[in-house]
């Protein structure tokens, strides 16, 4: 049996709660970032996952990632845009179509292709 690491400043229950919160944070962050991928969205739609009420509620819950304190951890900003679009029933149904997936993928590519990181104006 493994012995738990003891931190004199925090009792074991607090340490366990922190570990659970960190794991949840990391899992939700990874999932939200995966929403930047049009092929992943298409796959979810094809499997009718986007039609499930529990999943729709989960997407609504994930809106907290749009807040500044959480959004700073997002590496793929399109994930937040897609999360917003997924709140709309029409988007959830249209993303099932191959041509919509390709259109979304092309728009994302065009954005990245034309985006420039200019130095700040002084």
């Amino acid at each position: 049996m493994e012995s738990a690491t003891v931190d004199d400043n925090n009792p074991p229950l607090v340490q366990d709660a922190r570990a659970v919160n960190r794991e949840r944070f990391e899992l939700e962050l990874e999932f939200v970032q995966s929403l930047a991928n049009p092929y992943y969205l298409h796959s979810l739609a094809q499997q009718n996952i986007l039609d499930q009420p529990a999943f729709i509620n989960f997407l609504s819950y994930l809106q907290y990632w749009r807040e500044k304190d959480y959004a700073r951890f997002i590496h793929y900003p399109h994930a937040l845009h897609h999360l917003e679009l997924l709140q709309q029933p029409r988007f959830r149904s249209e993303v099932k179509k191959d041509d919509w997936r390709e259109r979304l993928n092309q728009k994302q590519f065009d954005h990245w292709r034309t985006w420039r990181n200019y130095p700040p104006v002084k």
Side-chain angles (χ1 to χ4, degrees), residues 9-122:
N9 297 328
N10 294 310
L13 289 178
V14 172
Q15 292 175 8
D16 290 344
R18 285 184 180 163
V20 168
N21 286 339
R22 182 177 181 89
E23 182 178 348
R24 182 176 179 174
F25 173 84
E26 290 172 353
L27 286 171
E28 290 178 2
L29 174 60
E30 183 176 348
F31 176 75
V32 169
Q33 292 198 113
S34 70
L35 298 178
N37 185 335
Y39 288 90
Y40 181 63
L41 295 178
H42 181 70
S43 174
L44 292 175
Q46 293 269 308
Q47 298 173 58
N48 295 319
I49 293 172
L50 297 181
D51 297 332
Q52 298 174 5
F55 192 77
I56 294 168
N57 288 340
F58 180 60
L59 292 172
S60 180
Y61 157 76
L62 292 173
Q63 288 293 306
Y64 77 87
W65 283 98
R66 300 178 58 74
E67 296 172 14
K68 155 177 99 163
D69 290 340
Y70 294 96
R72 67 190 176 107
F73 294 101
I74 301 287
H75 291 270
Y76 309 106
H78 274 100
L80 295 176
H81 178 64
H82 293 167
L83 179 61
E84 182 178 342
L85 290 173
L86 284 165
Q87 304 303 308
Q88 303 169 19
R90 180 172 180 235
F91 180 81
R92 291 193 306 266
S93 67
E94 295 291 333
V95 79
K96 286 182 182 180
K97 301 174 184 173
D98 291 342
D99 58 329
W100 257 73
R101 180 205 59 223
E102 288 305 318
R103 181 172 178 254
L104 192 59
N105 189 52
Q106 187 62 48
K107 287 182 78 147
Q108 190 175 51
F109 174 77
D110 289 343
H111 173 78
W112 288 338
R113 182 177 52 84
T114 60
W115 183 80
R116 299 286 185 263
N117 190 9
Y118 295 110
V121 178
K122 293 182 181 182

